[in-house]
Amino acid sequence: MIRITRKFRFSASHRLHAAELSADANRELYGKCNNPYGHGHNYEIEVTARGPVDDMTGRAVDLRLLERLVREHVVGPLDQKSLNADVAEFQAKVPTTENLAIEIYRRLTQAWRSVFPGEWPVLERVRIVETARNIFEIGEAHGQK
Amino acid sequence: MIRITRKFRFSASHRLHAAELSADANRELYGKCNNPYGHGHNYEIEVTARGPVDDMTGRAVDLRLLERLVREHVVGPLDQKSLNADVAEFQAKVPTTENLAIEIYRRLTQAWRSVFPGEWPVLERVRIVETARNIFEIGEAHGQK
Amino acid sequence: MIRITRKFRFSASHRLHAAELSADANRELYGKCNNPYGHGHNYEIEVTARGPVDDMTGRAVDLRLLERLVREHVVGPLDQKSLNADVAEFQAKVPTTENLAIEIYRRLTQAWRSVFPGEWPVLERVRIVETARNIFEIGEAHGQK
Amino acid sequence: MIRITRKFRFSASHRLHAAELSADANRELYGKCNNPYGHGHNYEIEVTARGPVDDMTGRAVDLRLLERLVREHVVGPLDQKSLNADVAEFQAKVPTTENLAIEIYRRLTQAWRSVFPGEWPVLERVRIVETARNIFEIGEAHGQK
Amino acid sequence: MIRITRKFRFSASHRLHAAELSADANRELYGKCNNPYGHGHNYEIEVTARGPVDDMTGRAVDLRLLERLVREHVVGPLDQKSLNADVAEFQAKVPTTENLAIEIYRRLTQAWRSVFPGEWPVLERVRIVETARNIFEIGEAHGQK
Amino acid sequence: MIRITRKFRFSASHRLHAAELSADANRELYGKCNNPYGHGHNYEIEVTARGPVDDMTGRAVDLRLLERLVREHVVGPLDQKSLNADVAEFQAKVPTTENLAIEIYRRLTQAWRSVFPGEWPVLERVRIVETARNIFEIGEAHGQK
């Protein structure tokens, strides 16, 4: 059983503002991230899958398929976008990196079996490196499956 | 003579759109960066100064002063901002990273002598790491002074 | 459930010398790290917390609180210090990075509930990157809680 | 209980070609990696061990022993080699990074007790960073022990 | 005037062997790099161009053109290749990273004006990061133009 | 003509204190770096040499010789040392990283011709990465030769 991680990057902007809170509470809660015109990040995401190694090919995950899956469902729709304005899921939800992680994990989980129809590999977790200091992680082990 | 570089980070969003060009020409020129709602980056900037080493203190640049100068004139005003909406200089200029480098270099050059009034140190150059693949650099050697 | 990691840095010096061992045994055991006048490192620490995402705010951990907690109990007291001479806990214990990890984890565990009084988030683990080649990790999963 | 990771590097070449598949199937499966003359990587490996901290010495793993073990059984025999031509295990197996991870883990597991004869430390896992985007991991938690 | 650097990666194998030297002299000179079956690297290359910023577009280099140029003339022909066996220029020349830098610089210089026909931007230099410890650089300032 | 850079690492401690200044002036000038018991860093140094590429061997610098030179004169004498207590040059000089750069450059310049007796390669510059944010550089171009 092997764990394989592939890294991807995309750049997007977001503004943190909770509709149910007052202007003051938003400023207090999100600080500079509440700035009305938003700011942005180079997000780095790491997608980890797990599976047994095939005896004949020596591979546990077909990385071309994983590449296509993540490009189609995550990097393509999010790269160089405004998360608040361009992504339907963040019309109603604050685009914190926590919610972004949940959304990316949801997209990959939903599309996974159409690309990897067998028992293996399974999607184990998604990590987002938001800045050089902040990392967010979600997956199987965190009760999301 | 020693060269000293200090690194800083800030996160901001921008949208690339040249007012004098048609919508089509903008899309052609800037690609996804022309997306109306913008996107963002974690910018890393490197400020390089040069000067002789003081015999008594063993220092060429007082890094506390450099820190304060860059925080006050660059990181403070730009961090977690929308370059297009929040920064006066980008009302009329497209906030490409080339123009951002020119603007940061201009701000530091202008404030430099109020913080370092003597002959040394001098500001040598500014580099901006926009993404893991794109780096922009401006300075003395590039005919800006 | 989301896992959030924030990174911090501090610089300190240490000398490895076990009081109960002979001078020869110390040299044999710690090699150059036994050098009487010490040496130092830029330590990078990663603090990982885990918790559910709040529906309204989209946050799992208030990073401002985590920042304050780690600055007050870890980075402030250790940055630019001699671990042997300046830190009480290392009067009797050798300041190996193993013991430093235990001490940092102990400090954070002890202060955690005063800053995060609810059930969540919990402190999951602490990692110390001592040099580019050596990493130390301690936490829940390692039977420390 | 502490987890300690040490990093090592080596450079090697490989060619991916499954003997039981046709030339076309190989090209389809491995893409450019099937190029007859091979290509290469700077592999970075991370070896993680786990154990309790000794009260007197403050150490959980004798890093000099770990260094010697990995140099003798992994870095020495693989550095600046052709995995296909120079390494016996890859005469019959395709030298994918999955199989390389299995082989490195097997070598370390086999030699471990001759270097660390006691109950602790145990070998917990091996990670291989093949390129800046691809990481492979194998260990206890993955049912290999 | 601005300097813009874009990074690219490719993986290739090479074997260092000078045809005019004896087997012993080759082993003495190149050490493990003389291993008959070769070894490989993840090469990272940085291409730096320089030019004035266009007032209307705010750009100094059209990065889409630079991307295409480097993909067509460098990354495409070299990625996942054996430099000795697959690249004509290294039939007669030893594929040291010095010679690889000269070859890449030659290819880019030769194709440059077909892609950037005006006076600006100019190609300033090429750097190759061969391993985490070895970097090679060639360009204008080094008398190559 | 090619520029070749090789990176090295060492860990050392230092305390910044100018003998000719009062205790107060020292605290004011060096801040936490004046802490009496010192602190430390993982220094990374980059040594850059320049020379023409030899037609037969394809090499511009014999990296084995450069390795030996830097290990013997810099890494060996400084690794895991206290700069203040263990290094003669810092008995009278404050071991700021500026002075450390000057000292390392002096050692390499002095020993260079015994290892590289011909006209080429020449030592071009030395850079020290003191922390992730501070870099110091000295060399030919800075009037040191």
Side-chain angles (χ1 to χ4, degrees):
Chain A
M1 196 67 70
I2 289 258
R3 231 187 199 182
I4 297 181
T5 296
R6 178 160 261 205
K7 297 189 186 183
F8 300 82
R9 294 174 193 277
F10 66 90
S11 296
S13 66
H14 67 166
R15 185 216 175 183
L16 303 188
H17 183 87
E20 299 150 54
L21 294 175
S22 70
D24 278 0
N26 268 292
R27 259 194 305 277
E28 165 71 13
L29 177 64
Y30 298 118
K32 292 176 108 179
C33 298
N34 182 238
N35 163 44
Y37 300 103
H39 66 286
H41 297 291
N42 304 326
Y43 295 97
E44 184 175 303
I45 57 175
E46 303 178 11
V47 177
T48 300
R50 190 183 66 241
V53 179
D54 181 90
D55 268 351
M56 190 172 69
T57 66
R59 301 252 79 149
V61 176
D62 188 328
L63 286 172
R64 290 166 311 166
L65 298 181
L66 183 62
E67 182 79 20
R68 225 176 292 154
L69 170 66
V70 180
R71 295 247 164 254
E72 185 180 339
H73 294 277
V74 178
V75 174
L78 301 180
D79 189 30
Q80 294 179 286
K81 290 289 166 59
S82 157
L83 299 182
N84 303 64
D86 294 319
V87 181
E89 286 82 359
F90 298 119
Q91 301 305 310
K93 273 192 171 171
V94 191
T96 56
T97 307
E98 286 92 330
N99 278 339
L100 181 59
I102 291 173
E103 174 58 19
I104 290 174
Y105 188 73
R106 188 191 67 75
R107 290 179 178 215
L108 293 177
T109 305
Q110 190 177 293
W112 195 263
R113 283 296 160 229
S114 68
V115 176
F116 298 109
E119 187 188 1
W120 300 104
V122 296
L123 175 62
E124 191 169 306
R125 78 177 185 210
V126 169
R127 295 176 88 224
I128 306 186
V129 181
E130 182 202 44
T131 69
R133 294 187 60 207
N134 293 339
I135 300 170
F136 298 76
E137 185 180 319
I138 188 171
E140 269 190 346
H142 310 122
Q144 286 291 328
K145 221 179 168 173
Chain B
M1 197 68 71
I2 289 257
R3 231 188 200 180
I4 298 181
T5 296
R6 178 160 262 205
K7 297 189 186 183
F8 300 82
R9 294 174 194 276
F10 65 90
S11 297
S13 66
H14 67 165
R15 186 216 174 184
L16 303 188
H17 184 87
E20 300 151 52
L21 295 176
S22 70
D24 278 1
N26 268 294
R27 259 194 304 276
E28 165 70 13
L29 177 64
Y30 298 118
K32 292 176 109 177
C33 299
N34 183 238
N35 162 45
Y37 299 105
H39 66 286
H41 298 291
N42 304 327
Y43 296 97
E44 183 175 303
I45 58 175
E46 304 178 12
V47 177
T48 300
R50 189 182 67 241
V53 179
D54 181 88
D55 268 353
M56 191 172 70
T57 66
R59 301 252 79 148
V61 175
D62 187 328
L63 287 173
R64 291 165 309 166
L65 297 181
L66 183 62
E67 181 79 20
R68 225 176 292 155
L69 169 66
V70 180
R71 294 245 166 255
E72 186 180 337
H73 294 276
V74 178
V75 174
L78 301 181
D79 189 30
Q80 293 177 289
K81 291 289 165 58
S82 156
L83 299 182
N84 303 64
D86 294 320
V87 181
E89 286 82 359
F90 298 119
Q91 301 304 311
K93 273 190 173 173
V94 191
T96 56
T97 307
E98 286 93 330
N99 278 339
L100 181 59
I102 291 173
E103 174 58 19
I104 290 174
Y105 188 72
R106 190 190 66 74
R107 289 178 178 216
L108 293 178
T109 305
Q110 190 177 293
W112 195 263
R113 284 296 159 229
S114 69
V115 175
F116 298 109
E119 187 189 358
W120 300 105
V122 297
L123 175 62
E124 192 170 304
R125 77 176 186 212
V126 169
R127 296 176 89 224
I128 306 185
V129 182
E130 182 202 44
T131 69
R133 294 189 58 207
N134 293 340
I135 300 170
F136 298 76
E137 185 181 320
I138 188 170
E140 268 190 348
H142 310 122
Q144 287 291 329
K145 218 181 167 171
Chain C
M1 197 69 69
I2 289 259
R3 234 189 197 180
I4 298 181
T5 296
R6 180 159 258 204
K7 297 189 186 184
F8 301 82
R9 295 173 192 276
F10 65 90
S11 297
S13 66
H14 67 166
R15 184 215 176 184
L16 303 188
H17 184 88
E20 299 150 52
L21 295 176
S22 70
D24 277 2
N26 268 293
R27 260 194 303 277
E28 166 68 13
L29 177 64
Y30 298 117
K32 291 176 108 178
C33 299
N34 183 238
N35 164 44
Y37 299 104
H39 65 285
H41 296 291
N42 304 327
Y43 296 98
E44 184 175 303
I45 57 175
E46 303 178 11
V47 176
T48 299
R50 191 184 64 242
V53 179
D54 180 90
D55 268 352
M56 190 172 68
T57 66
R59 303 251 77 151
V61 175
D62 187 328
L63 286 172
R64 291 166 310 165
L65 297 181
L66 183 61
E67 182 79 19
R68 225 175 293 152
L69 170 66
V70 180
R71 294 246 165 254
E72 185 180 339
H73 293 276
V74 177
V75 174
L78 301 180
D79 189 31
Q80 292 179 288
K81 291 291 165 58
S82 157
L83 298 182
N84 303 63
D86 294 320
V87 182
E89 286 82 359
F90 298 119
Q91 302 304 310
K93 273 193 172 170
V94 189
T96 56
T97 306
E98 286 94 329
N99 279 338
L100 181 60
I102 292 174
E103 175 58 21
I104 290 174
Y105 188 73
R106 189 189 67 74
R107 289 178 178 215
L108 293 177
T109 305
Q110 190 177 292
W112 196 262
R113 284 295 159 228
S114 68
V115 175
F116 298 110
E119 187 189 359
W120 301 104
V122 296
L123 174 62
E124 191 170 305
R125 80 179 183 206
V126 169
R127 295 177 88 224
I128 306 185
V129 181
E130 182 202 44
T131 69
R133 295 187 58 207
N134 293 339
I135 300 170
F136 298 75
E137 185 181 320
I138 188 170
E140 269 189 347
H142 310 122
Q144 286 292 328
K145 221 179 166 173
Chain D
M1 197 69 69
I2 290 258
R3 233 189 199 181
I4 298 181
T5 296
R6 178 159 260 205
K7 297 189 186 184
F8 301 82
R9 294 174 194 276
F10 66 89
S11 296
S13 66
H14 68 164
R15 184 215 175 184
L16 303 188
H17 184 87
E20 299 151 52
L21 296 175
S22 70
D24 277 2
N26 268 294
R27 259 194 305 276
E28 166 69 14
L29 177 64
Y30 298 117
K32 291 176 110 179
C33 299
N34 183 237
N35 163 46
Y37 300 103
H39 65 285
H41 296 292
N42 304 327
Y43 295 99
E44 184 175 303
I45 57 175
E46 303 178 11
V47 177
T48 300
R50 191 183 66 240
V53 179
D54 181 90
D55 269 351
M56 190 172 70
T57 66
R59 302 252 77 149
V61 175
D62 187 329
L63 286 172
R64 291 166 310 166
L65 297 182
L66 183 61
E67 181 80 20
R68 225 177 290 153
L69 170 67
V70 180
R71 294 246 165 255
E72 185 179 339
H73 294 276
V74 177
V75 174
L78 300 181
D79 189 31
Q80 292 178 288
K81 291 289 165 57
S82 158
L83 298 182
N84 303 62
D86 294 320
V87 181
E89 285 82 359
F90 297 119
Q91 301 304 310
K93 273 191 172 170
V94 190
T96 56
T97 307
E98 286 93 330
N99 279 338
L100 180 60
I102 292 174
E103 174 59 19
I104 290 174
Y105 188 72
R106 190 191 67 74
R107 288 179 179 215
L108 293 178
T109 305
Q110 191 177 291
W112 195 263
R113 284 294 161 231
S114 68
V115 176
F116 298 110
E119 188 189 359
W120 301 104
V122 296
L123 174 63
E124 192 170 304
R125 79 176 185 210
V126 169
R127 294 178 88 224
I128 306 186
V129 182
E130 182 202 44
T131 69
R133 294 187 59 206
N134 293 340
I135 301 170
F136 298 75
E137 186 181 319
I138 189 171
E140 268 189 347
H142 310 122
Q144 287 291 328
K145 221 182 165 171
Chain E
M1 198 67 71
I2 289 257
R3 233 188 198 180
I4 298 182
T5 297
R6 180 160 259 203
K7 298 189 186 183
F8 300 82
R9 295 174 193 276
F10 66 90
S11 297
S13 67
H14 67 167
R15 185 218 175 181
L16 303 188
H17 184 87
E20 300 151 52
L21 295 176
S22 69
D24 277 3
N26 267 294
R27 260 195 304 277
E28 166 69 14
L29 178 64
Y30 298 118
K32 291 176 108 179
C33 298
N34 183 238
N35 164 44
Y37 300 105
H39 66 286
H41 296 292
N42 304 327
Y43 295 98
E44 183 175 304
I45 57 175
E46 303 179 11
V47 176
T48 300
R50 191 183 66 242
V53 178
D54 181 89
D55 268 353
M56 192 173 69
T57 65
R59 301 252 78 150
V61 176
D62 187 327
L63 286 172
R64 291 165 311 164
L65 297 181
L66 183 62
E67 182 79 19
R68 225 175 294 154
L69 170 67
V70 179
R71 293 247 166 254
E72 185 180 340
H73 295 277
V74 177
V75 174
L78 301 180
D79 189 30
Q80 292 179 286
K81 291 291 165 58
S82 157
L83 299 182
N84 303 63
D86 293 319
V87 182
E89 287 81 0
F90 298 119
Q91 301 304 309
K93 274 193 171 171
V94 190
T96 56
T97 306
E98 286 93 329
N99 279 338
L100 181 60
I102 292 174
E103 175 58 20
I104 290 174
Y105 188 72
R106 189 189 67 73
R107 289 178 179 216
L108 293 178
T109 305
Q110 190 177 291
W112 196 263
R113 284 294 160 230
S114 67
V115 176
F116 298 110
E119 187 189 0
W120 301 104
V122 297
L123 174 62
E124 192 170 305
R125 77 176 186 210
V126 170
R127 296 177 87 223
I128 306 185
V129 181
E130 183 202 43
T131 68
R133 294 187 59 207
N134 293 339
I135 301 170
F136 299 76
E137 184 180 320
I138 188 170
E140 269 189 346
H142 311 122
Q144 286 291 327
K145 221 181 166 171
Chain F
M1 196 69 70
I2 289 258
R3 232 187 199 181
I4 298 181
T5 297
R6 179 160 259 205
K7 297 190 186 183
F8 301 82
R9 294 174 193 277
F10 66 90
S11 297
S13 67
H14 67 165
R15 185 216 175 183
L16 302 187
H17 184 87
E20 299 152 50
L21 296 175
S22 70
D24 277 1
N26 268 292
R27 259 194 304 275
E28 166 68 15
L29 177 64
Y30 299 117
K32 290 177 110 178
C33 299
N34 183 237
N35 163 45
Y37 300 105
H39 64 286
H41 296 292
N42 305 327
Y43 295 98
E44 184 175 303
I45 58 175
E46 303 179 11
V47 177
T48 299
R50 190 183 66 242
V53 179
D54 181 89
D55 269 352
M56 191 173 69
T57 66
R59 302 252 77 149
V61 175
D62 187 328
L63 286 172
R64 291 165 309 165
L65 297 181
L66 183 62
E67 181 80 20
R68 225 176 291 153
L69 170 67
V70 180
R71 294 246 166 254
E72 185 179 340
H73 294 277
V74 177
V75 174
L78 301 181
D79 188 31
Q80 292 177 289
K81 290 290 164 59
S82 157
L83 298 181
N84 303 63
D86 294 319
V87 181
E89 287 81 0
F90 297 119
Q91 301 304 310
K93 274 192 171 169
V94 190
T96 56
T97 306
E98 287 93 330
N99 279 338
L100 180 60
I102 292 174
E103 174 59 20
I104 289 174
Y105 188 72
R106 190 190 67 74
R107 289 178 179 215
L108 293 178
T109 305
Q110 190 176 292
W112 195 263
R113 284 294 160 231
S114 67
V115 175
F116 298 110
E119 188 189 358
W120 300 105
V122 296
L123 175 61
E124 192 170 304
R125 79 177 185 209
V126 169
R127 295 176 89 225
I128 306 185
V129 182
E130 182 201 44
T131 69
R133 294 188 59 206
N134 293 339
I135 301 171
F136 298 76
E137 185 180 318
I138 188 170
E140 268 188 347
H142 309 123
Q144 288 291 328
K145 219 182 168 170

